[in-house]
Amino acid sequence: MKKKCIFLDRDGTINVYKRLLHNKNELVLEEKAAEAIKMVNNSDYLCIVVSNQPVVARNLCTLEEALKINEFLRELLYEKNGAYLDDIFICPHHPDSGYPEENKKYKINCNCRKPRTGMIEEAVSRYNIDLSESYIIGDTTIDIMTGINAGLKTILVNTGLAGMDKNYDVEADNVVKNLFEAVKLVIER
């Protein structure tokens, strides 16, 4: 039986946006983010994070350190409200190369970097997700474009970059104040 999923961006959606976050001590939850995720946990939706993490390719941290930041996020969510994430997928790659400090191993043009759908496809394969019944919630036009590319319903939150990145000329299906309001909208449908 296929499952429904709410895919979440991380930076600017779950946690307060900090450009190129690469230290777990800089991670602070957005207001009511843990409550929002707990609401997903109490529903029939999976809660999966899909996040571009170019800090690895830029050599600001190792892949292991990036994964530790995600573990710290899990700890914060659980401590705050008993909330949990069903999974976290990250893309450590970045397509632009030529910088002296970069980690060349991760400077590739991959299929997993949003707005491409590699992370979502992997989640679909692993968890048998029905994309037509699923959502993506994020703070950038990149997240919204990812949702469009994957056939998801899209919600833009007015936290983080609040769609002001202007990378893509797209409109979300819904625009709301924050993650809590986004999840409430989904659950109440």
Side-chain angles (χ1 to χ4, degrees):
M1 190 166 149
K2 289 203 173 255
K3 299 174 186 162
K4 301 185 291 187
C5 182
I6 298 176
F7 291 98
L8 303 177
D9 173 54
R10 191 187 82 182
D11 302 327
T13 304
I14 300 172
N15 57 280
V16 175
Y17 178 78
K18 176 160 178 49
R19 190 173 187 279
L20 299 174
L21 176 80
H22 62 278
N23 181 326
K24 73 176 192 173
N25 297 324
E26 298 173 336
L27 192 140
V28 177
L29 293 178
E30 278 285 350
E31 184 181 353
K32 296 180 92 173
E35 292 86 343
I37 291 170
K38 186 66 175 182
M39 208 184 323
V40 179
N41 299 153
N42 291 332
S43 75
D44 53 355
Y45 286 89
L46 294 170
C47 188
I48 296 177
V49 171
V50 287
S51 179
N52 288 347
Q53 291 301 312
V55 292
V56 176
R58 292 181 180 212
N59 217 16
L60 296 171
C61 68
T62 64
L63 179 59
E64 292 73 25
E65 290 167 331
L67 296 175
K68 284 181 184 173
I69 291 169
N70 286 335
E71 285 310 309
F72 183 65
L73 172 64
R74 286 179 186 268
E75 290 169 19
L76 284 178
L77 290 167
Y78 191 78
E79 287 171 12
K80 180 90 173 155
N81 206 37
Y84 63 89
L85 300 166
D86 290 295
D87 212 333
I88 301 176
F89 293 88
I90 68 167
C91 170
H93 309 113
H94 195 277
D96 301 334
S97 60
Y99 302 96
E101 70 281 356
E102 70 190 18
N103 184 335
K104 293 185 186 326
K105 178 180 175 184
Y106 296 101
K107 284 291 191 166
I108 61 169
N109 195 359
C110 63
N111 186 43
C112 55
R113 183 174 171 81
K114 295 182 296 185
R116 292 184 176 160
T117 58
M119 290 185 282
I120 290 172
E121 290 166 16
E122 187 176 342
V124 166
S125 174
R126 190 176 295 177
Y127 294 100
N128 194 29
I129 295 169
D130 181 351
L131 293 178
S132 70
E133 294 293 321
S134 299
Y135 292 78
I136 188 166
I137 302 170
D139 70 314
T140 67
T141 62
I142 295 168
D143 299 315
I144 302 311
M145 191 74 232
T146 304
I148 292 167
N149 289 342
L152 298 164
K153 296 170 200 73
T154 59
I155 303 176
L156 179 72
V157 291
N158 279 323
T159 53
L161 294 176
M164 295 303 174
D165 59 294
K166 304 287 185 201
N167 283 296
Y168 297 93
D169 185 18
V170 293
E171 286 187 33
D173 295 318
N174 296 97
V175 179
V176 297
K177 178 181 174 186
N178 57 25
L179 180 57
F180 184 82
E181 294 300 321
V183 170
K184 190 174 164 194
L185 180 73
V186 173
I187 302 301
E188 288 178 355
R189 285 186 178 163

